[in-house]
Amino acid sequence: MSIANNLAEIKASLPPHVTLVAVSKTKPVADLMEAYNAGQRIFGENKVQEMVAKWEEMPKDIQWHMIGHVQTNKVKYMAPFVSLIHGVDSLKLLIEINRQAARYRKVINCLLQVHIAEEETKFGLSEEELNALLTSEEFKQMQNIRITGLMGMATFTDDNEQVKKEFSRLKTIFDRLSEEPATPNLQPATLSMGMSGDYPLAIACGSTMVRIGSSIFGSR
Ligand SMILES: *Cc1c(COP(=O)(O)O)cnc(C)c1O
């Protein structure tokens, strides 16, 4: 199957309210261009340098999403062009994104990553940390970031019940957040959950944005 075929099949299976992020990490620009020529405009990368290199080389109407864990000292390289940062999991990182966005007189959209998996290795905020961040004075003062939703990764397991439980928990947290009065820097509309192995389940649990790599571009 070609990349264009894979893409068409996945897009046909997504409900209209679900946005597809084509996760192109480690893949060469030629592969991304195949997806681009098939109409894909949103790409996800997990390393800042790699995303910058691809951004420089590729058409400028692409929306670049950073889906990986971000080191504070790398924010400045993507601040000029990144369209959504999925993996924000500390106040410290958010402060730096806000600072770099201010340098460019822009607002950078961010998702807060919540830890929902059983695995210790996955990044993300606990529910308590999420609440502490959102109610902090520092956050309230930030004018150059906008929290547009939440992101999470389920445990890597064949146990569908486990995965469903984790996705449902994130959806509950998202719904609670969505009930808060919106402010300029808190406008939750996006729930980013679901990858190649679990996106149908994620959508059934309320996902509005799926991050799919290997099912489009092949294994890495
Ligand atoms: C790599 C990656 C994906 C895509 O994974 P696939 O299994 O290839 O679809 C999604 N989200 C994050 C955060 C990733 O790092």
Side-chain angles (χ1 to χ4, degrees), residues 135-167:
T135 52
S136 69
E137 261 325 297
E138 287 107 320
F139 174 71
K140 287 178 189 161
Q141 300 300 326
M142 288 182 196
Q143 296 185 349
N144 296 86
I145 54 97
R146 187 185 301 117
I147 303 299
T148 57
L150 301 178
M151 181 268 216
M153 288 169 85
T155 303
F156 188 72
T157 171
D158 289 336
D159 182 353
N160 273 351
E161 280 311 308
Q162 171 79 24
V163 174
K164 192 175 160 191
K165 202 174 76 191
E166 293 171 0
F167 283 151

Side-chain angles (χ1 to χ4, degrees), residues 21-41:
V21 179
V23 175
S24 47
K25 62 193 186 195
T26 78
K27 297 296 177 182
V29 164
D31 287 7
L32 279 71
M33 280 309 298
E34 196 176 331
Y36 179 89
N37 288 329
Q40 183 64 24
R41 291 294 180 272

Side-chain angles (χ1 to χ4, degrees), residues 86-87 111-117 122-124 149-155 166-167 170 190-195 198 202 207 209 211:
H86 288 234
L111 304 179
L112 294 174
Q113 184 172 356
V114 180
H115 185 280
I116 52 169
K122 300 267 163 78
F123 295 104
L150 301 178
M151 181 268 216
M153 288 169 85
T155 303
E166 293 171 0
F167 283 151
L170 184 57
T190 299
L191 181 54
S192 168
M193 59 184 195
M195 335 200 319
D198 58 18
S207 169
M209 184 174 278
R211 311 175 308 269

